[in-house]
């Protein structure tokens, strides 16, 4: 049986999880699924030991020694992307190997290397939420989707930041062997087969974790356990012991979004988790997450995810 060949491209200051996240997914698939083993290799511009952003080194072979055919080319992201994108040898070889690959993918800011190689021209793509505006500005011929966990456009796949490389790799396993096979790997890795919603929710929720002001930080810790409560601005501002105007201004400064938008994001996240992991009726989930009615929750799903709770459960619910 032919082993699908996975070539992962790293470089000096690559982010280690961009490399090891997909690597572990393909390795786990090879160990726990009755499929041809994925044959993985890591390459870099000059080969040898490569120092990642975390200080951990990984071994690699020289990229110009690699010849096809390749099943899947994975390009990692990392720090100093301007330097990486300016590495002519690296970019030229990525372009060469892409022409010999069935699928071409990037993790996080690896999208900048695909764009520098001209591989994203006229295509939809994504990258880390904090880098989407820069990708769009530097490469206007790329249609950037800032709220996607990953994007597939033809045989080119791009993912959002860091851990989204695991989501991407699981999607590639599902593309090869079906959703049930990918679900087995996800369970082994103790991760969701596919996280609900887009990365915009993570940018908001992660920003909330770094809130500095105590009344806002305490409120955010309290909020997820009180989704069925009245979470209007008057109620929230009173709990934070601030005027409504002070509260709204401070919340936006600390969290990066409005209170109403954040509350809906937290309720959406809770609803998605219940849809994905339980058989609870949709109307019960709507009530328990603070939406009140299925119609209200449905409108939120349509607006934020362009789908319905029922469709979300069909695609991502319990097998």
């Amino acid at each position: 049986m032919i082993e699908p060949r996975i070539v992962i491209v790293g470089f000096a200051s690559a982010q280690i999880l961009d490399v090891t996240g997909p690597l572990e997914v393909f390795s786990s698939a090879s160990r726990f699924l009755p499929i041809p083993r994925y044959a993985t290799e890591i390459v870099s511009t000059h080969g040898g030991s490569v120092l990642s952003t975390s200080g951990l080194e990984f071994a690699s072979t020289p990229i110009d020694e690699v010849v096809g055919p390749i099943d899947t080319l994975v390009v990692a992201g990392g720090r100093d992307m301007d330097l990486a994108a300016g590495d002519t040898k690296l970019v030229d070889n990525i372009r060469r190997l892409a022409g010999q690959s069935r699928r071409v993918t990037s993790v996080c800011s690896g999208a900048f290397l695909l764009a520098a190689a001209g591989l994203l021209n006229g295509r939809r793509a994504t990258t880390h939420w904090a880098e989407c505006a820069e990708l769009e500005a530097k490469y206007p011929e790329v249609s950037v989707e800032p709220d996607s966990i990953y994007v597939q456009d033809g045989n080119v796949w791009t993912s959002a930041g860091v851990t989204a490389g695991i989501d991407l790799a699981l999607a590639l396993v599902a593309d090869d062997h079906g959703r049930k096979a990918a679900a087995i790997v996800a369970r082994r890795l103790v991760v969701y087969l596919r996280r609900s919603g887009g990365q915009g929710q993570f940018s908001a929720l992660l920003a909330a974790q770094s809130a500095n002001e105590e009344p806002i930080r305490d409120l955010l810790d309290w909020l997820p356990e009180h989704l069925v409560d009245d979470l209007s601005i008057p109620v929230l501002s009173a709990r934070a012991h601030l005027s409504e105007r002070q509260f709204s201004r401070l919340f936006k400064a600390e969290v990066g979004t409005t209170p109403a938008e954040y509350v809906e994001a937290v309720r959406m996240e809770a609803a998605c988790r219940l849809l994905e992991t339980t058989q609870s009726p949709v109307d019960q989930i709507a009530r328990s997450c603070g939406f009140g009615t299925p119609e209200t929750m449905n409108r939120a799903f349509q607006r934020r995810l362009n789908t319905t709770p029922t469709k979300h459960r069909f695609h991502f619910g319990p097998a």
Side-chain angles (χ1 to χ4, degrees):
M1 302 177 73
I2 299 175
E3 295 183 344
R5 186 183 180 196
I6 312 295
V7 175
I8 302 175
V9 181
F11 51 90
S13 295
Q15 187 147 273
I16 193 65
L17 196 55
D18 288 10
V19 175
T20 58
L23 186 65
E24 188 60 38
V25 170
F26 292 120
S27 173
S28 296
S30 297
R31 294 200 306 273
F32 300 119
L33 297 178
I35 61 172
R37 290 180 60 87
Y38 287 104
T40 57
E41 54 192 283
I42 303 174
V43 304
S44 65
T45 303
H46 303 293
S49 180
V50 178
L51 186 65
S52 71
T53 56
S54 67
L56 183 66
E57 295 183 347
F58 58 88
S60 67
T61 56
I63 192 170
D64 56 6
E65 294 182 6
V66 180
V67 294
I70 297 168
D71 182 80
T72 305
L73 182 68
V74 181
V75 179
R79 195 179 59 210
D80 304 326
M81 291 310 298
D82 285 342
L83 291 177
D87 183 341
T88 303
K89 183 177 181 181
L90 178 64
V91 172
D92 287 349
N93 274 289
I94 288 174
R95 186 185 303 110
R96 175 181 65 85
L97 294 180
Q100 302 171 21
S101 302
R102 181 174 71 90
R103 287 184 302 214
V104 178
T105 74
S106 67
V107 180
C108 194
S109 54
F112 284 84
L113 290 174
L114 294 189
L119 300 171
L120 297 183
N121 291 350
R123 293 186 184 274
R124 297 178 297 108
T126 193
T127 187
H128 190 288
W129 60 268
E131 310 293 338
C132 285
E134 182 180 353
L135 181 65
E136 194 169 37
K138 286 188 173 181
Y139 302 99
E141 61 273 26
V142 181
S143 177
V144 179
E145 297 188 359
D147 198 39
S148 297
I149 297 295
Y150 62 81
V151 172
Q152 178 190 6
D153 191 329
N155 74 326
V156 178
W157 304 58
T158 53
S159 83
V162 198
T163 57
I166 295 174
D167 298 79
L168 172 65
L170 287 168
L172 297 176
V173 172
D175 189 51
D176 291 339
H177 303 290
R179 182 179 180 276
K180 288 185 177 179
I184 292 172
V185 177
R187 284 196 293 272
R188 284 285 180 174
L189 295 176
V190 198
V191 297
Y192 285 99
L193 176 56
R194 180 175 177 179
R195 283 178 284 180
S196 55
Q199 64 172 327
Q201 67 177 311
F202 298 106
S203 65
L205 297 176
L206 289 174
Q209 293 178 17
S210 61
N212 291 316
E213 295 294 331
E214 186 174 332
I216 300 299
R217 188 173 63 247
D218 292 346
L219 181 68
L220 298 180
D221 289 340
W222 170 87
L223 194 148
E225 302 301 321
H226 297 82
L227 296 182
V228 299
D229 294 359
D230 179 357
L231 300 179
S232 63
I233 287 179
V235 172
L236 295 178
S237 60
R239 183 171 184 83
H241 305 292
L242 296 168
S243 70
E244 292 182 25
R245 185 175 180 180
Q246 286 177 312
F247 172 74
S248 296
R249 184 171 62 248
L250 184 60
F251 193 98
K252 183 67 179 290
E254 287 288 297
V255 183
T257 187
T258 67
E261 289 169 342
Y262 182 80
V263 166
E264 185 174 77
V266 177
R267 282 173 168 158
M268 283 286 297
E269 176 70 7
C272 286
R273 290 290 177 260
L274 291 174
L275 289 166
E276 293 165 4
T277 61
T278 76
Q279 298 289 354
S280 298
V282 170
D283 59 344
Q284 180 180 323
I285 291 174
R287 290 193 301 272
S288 67
C289 293
F291 286 105
T293 67
E295 292 75 20
T296 302
M297 186 168 74
N298 185 71
R299 286 194 294 271
F301 268 72
Q302 290 283 9
R303 184 174 62 257
R304 284 180 171 264
L305 304 182
N306 194 31
T307 188
T308 66
T310 301
K311 289 180 180 178
H312 183 90
R313 168 171 276 169
F314 175 79
H315 288 294
F316 307 122

